[in-house]
Amino acid sequence: MNIVQSVAERIIENVSQVIIGKRNEIRLTVLGLLCQGHILIEDVPGVGKTILARALARSIGASFNRIQFTPDMLPSDVTGVSVFNQRTREFEFRPGPIMSQIVLTDEINRATPKTQAALLEAMEERQITVDGVTYPLEEPFLVIATQNPIEYEGTFPLPEAQLDRFMLRIRLGYPSPQEEIAMLDSQQYQHPLTTLRQVVTVEELVAAQRAVRDIYLNQDIKNYIVNIVTSTRQHPDVYLGASPRGAIALYRTSQARASIAGRDYVVPDDVKALAEVTLAHRIIVGPNARIKDISSNGIVHSILNTVPVPGATVGARF
């Protein structure tokens, strides 16, 4: 078992004690963590979005902060602010909640675009700049953002540039009746999160993140990824297709999926399994297609059905 497999399985098993019946969604979250990519969770209230983020932080022993976004928030409420110290006659930086290893930005679409933009530098450059001074963020750094898709009053839709910063968009969905009963039983006396223990060190996680990048992709797989992304830009129902950042996201997540499966090479199934969660939120559907109720997820599915899948030639290297 390689280090990526070991780290991933320990985290998944641990978080599954708290989030019942969502193993695939937990796996995708861990996959994003291994790829050093940020995650957008879009779902209705009460399905465990916040608990998932907290359980992930506890499993790796990382520092954790939660930011509840509201319309009256300022960018300084996220990044921090310089305060004048009358005793020393100098300005002192008071770090904001973004200065943490795992940051949960709850209901991100409730903040104004100006406040949402305060996250851009942190998510892309892993640093923040306040009053001309740059402060690096500690590794590992992960933003998990949540937004409620059913409440539009008092919300500000995420701009395309912000959406493009998220490597994955996932949905948890409701549990089955049996899973919901198991959830009730698990919380009879106390919430299982209170007894959740750390199962991976930060050093192990950083080593696993580096090991993911060693996974091999042959030229056919690279061409397959690029052909899928290019097809999103040429699709007749698409106003704006996936960016090159989307191709990189599909590339990185495919590496992580292969490594978690115990392989040191990527196969087409890795790419196909992750195309929707890495590309759909980057696609802007044209107005005529929206009238026909065509979604970006449906467009990705149609592209996967039309783009030729490369032959099984990856094994030729070994």
Side-chain angles (χ1 to χ4, degrees):
M1 181 181 292
N2 61 51
I3 185 170
V4 179
Q5 241 184 331
S6 173
V7 166
E9 289 187 5
R10 276 181 280 162
I11 297 175
I12 292 167
E13 289 297 331
N14 206 45
V15 176
S16 295
Q17 298 176 44
V18 179
I19 307 295
I20 297 173
K22 300 297 176 186
R23 194 175 183 87
N24 183 57
E25 288 75 15
I26 295 170
R27 183 180 292 272
L28 287 172
T29 305
V30 173
L31 190 145
L33 177 65
L34 290 170
C35 296
Q36 304 179 59
H38 308 294
I39 300 165
L40 177 63
I41 306 178
E42 186 180 82
D43 219 320
V44 296
V47 294
K49 301 186 293 292
T50 302
I51 297 301
L52 173 60
R54 289 187 179 276
L56 187 67
R58 289 202 178 191
S59 296
I60 65 175
S63 57
F64 175 83
N65 271 327
R66 176 182 179 272
I67 310 173
Q68 177 61 56
F69 276 33
T70 57
D72 59 347
M73 278 190 71
L74 299 173
S76 58
D77 294 328
V78 176
T79 59
V81 65
S82 294
V83 178
F84 185 70
N85 188 323
Q86 292 186 347
R87 182 178 298 174
T88 62
R89 312 297 295 177
E90 294 180 348
F91 282 94
E92 295 179 352
F93 175 63
R94 303 287 176 85
I98 196 67
M99 300 287 283
S100 188
Q101 290 174 310
I102 292 185
V103 180
L104 173 66
T105 57
D106 229 347
E107 297 185 303
I108 188 174
N109 55 332
R110 289 200 175 278
T112 61
K114 186 176 183 179
T115 303
Q116 290 176 10
L119 287 171
L120 291 179
E121 182 184 15
M123 292 173 68
E124 187 66 21
E125 308 295 335
R126 284 172 167 73
Q127 64 182 31
I128 59 170
T129 303
V130 179
D131 296 332
V133 180
T134 298
Y135 302 90
L137 299 173
E138 188 180 357
E139 282 192 341
F141 176 69
L142 174 70
V143 171
I144 299 179
T146 73
Q147 68 174 353
N148 187 344
I150 64 170
E151 292 183 12
Y152 296 105
E153 187 175 346
T155 63
F156 302 85
L158 294 181
E160 287 72 28
Q162 183 92 24
L163 280 171
D164 204 33
R165 258 68 174 189
F166 290 101
M167 179 171 281
L168 299 164
R169 182 182 67 178
I170 65 176
R171 294 182 173 91
L172 293 178
Y174 290 117
S176 68
Q178 294 77 16
E179 292 164 352
E180 202 155 3
I181 290 171
M183 180 189 68
L184 296 177
D185 291 338
S186 69
Q187 297 189 32
Q188 181 173 354
Y189 299 107
Q190 63 179 355
H191 200 290
L193 185 64
T194 59
T195 58
L196 202 68
R197 61 187 180 89
Q198 179 181 350
V199 292
V200 170
T201 65
V202 169
E203 291 75 19
E204 285 179 305
L205 175 61
V206 172
Q209 288 175 334
R210 291 172 180 161
V212 163
R213 302 207 170 199
D214 292 330
I215 302 302
Y216 173 75
L217 288 86
N218 78 351
Q219 193 59 46
D220 287 342
I221 300 294
K222 294 175 185 176
N223 290 338
Y224 185 47
I225 291 172
V226 171
N227 289 340
I228 291 172
V229 174
T230 302
S231 296
T232 67
R233 303 165 190 162
Q234 300 172 345
H235 197 282
D237 293 324
V238 172
Y239 175 74
L240 183 68
S243 68
R245 192 183 281 116
I248 295 171
L250 187 51
Y251 178 95
R252 293 285 179 223
T253 53
S254 297
Q255 287 180 302
R257 188 178 189 270
S259 189
I260 291 174
R263 286 181 275 107
D264 56 0
Y265 58 91
V266 173
V267 296
D269 281 348
D270 295 322
V271 179
K272 293 177 71 173
L274 295 163
E276 182 180 338
V277 292
T278 56
L279 299 180
H281 62 286
R282 306 172 197 271
I283 296 172
I284 300 178
V285 180
N288 292 334
R290 285 199 297 270
I291 293 173
K292 301 174 185 176
D293 200 27
I294 296 175
S295 67
S296 58
N297 297 71
I299 289 171
V300 173
H301 280 294
S302 69
I303 288 172
L304 291 176
N305 290 331
T306 55
V307 174
V309 179
T313 58
V314 284
R317 178 175 177 267
F318 303 99

